[in-house]
Amino acid sequence: MRKFRCLCFLLLAGTLFLAAPPRSQAQVSIQIGPAPVCPYGYYGFAPYGCAPYGYYGPAWFSDGIFIGAGPWFHGPDHFRGHVDNHFDVHRGYRGPVPNRGDHAEPSNRVDQMDHFRGNEMRDGRGHAGGGRR
């Protein structure tokens, strides 16, 4: 009987020792939240502050609605549009910018900007290059 107990104990211990460790699954989820609500669009880089009137050219708007930039870009796949980087805060612009939730001035039409002079092309996903008009 003693040999039987030892054999059972060894079998149990061996089974526990050889048992596979529990498998764990990892999952990563990133929530970016809703796009900023800005009257003339927002910069395509964090913290996605509102851009001033004149930063984006008319190509960035569809029926007066901003097509987005950065993680919220929803324009065509091969889109490239002009921006005027004189209004870029990363390039030294320190003038007025609208706040989130502000409304556009009626005189600042985004679909007709005859005075717009973009000096850089952007693709909506943060890539820049070329572009004097």
Side-chain angles (χ1 to χ4, degrees):
M1 185 71 166
R2 193 173 205 156
K3 287 183 181 181
F4 181 73
R5 276 187 169 167
C6 281
L7 182 61
C8 287
F9 177 75
L10 288 174
L11 285 173
L12 180 63
T15 302
L16 292 176
F17 180 73
L18 295 175
R23 294 181 186 213
S24 61
Q25 294 181 353
Q27 182 176 351
V28 176
S29 176
I30 298 174
Q31 302 276 332
I32 59 171
V37 177
C38 299
Y40 311 113
Y42 47 86
Y43 293 110
F45 47 82
Y48 306 102
C50 292
Y53 178 72
Y55 177 71
Y56 288 106
W60 289 86
F61 299 88
S62 176
D63 294 325
I65 307 294
F66 184 58
I67 63 172
W72 302 280
F73 177 73
H74 53 272
D77 285 340
H78 300 289
F79 173 82
R80 294 191 59 78
H82 281 95
V83 299
D84 185 345
N85 65 21
H86 293 105
F87 293 109
D88 189 334
V89 294
H90 281 167
R91 296 184 183 239
Y93 178 71
R94 298 290 178 255
V97 294
N99 295 307
R100 291 183 184 200
D102 284 354
H103 296 286
E105 293 291 326
S107 61
N108 292 343
R109 301 212 26 195
V110 294
D111 56 344
Q112 288 183 318
M113 300 173 96
D114 297 331
H115 64 280
F116 179 76
R117 298 291 177 255
N119 58 3
E120 185 174 75
M121 293 290 280
R122 292 192 173 263
D123 69 356
R125 293 175 181 86
H127 302 105
R132 282 224 178 256
R133 281 189 355 158

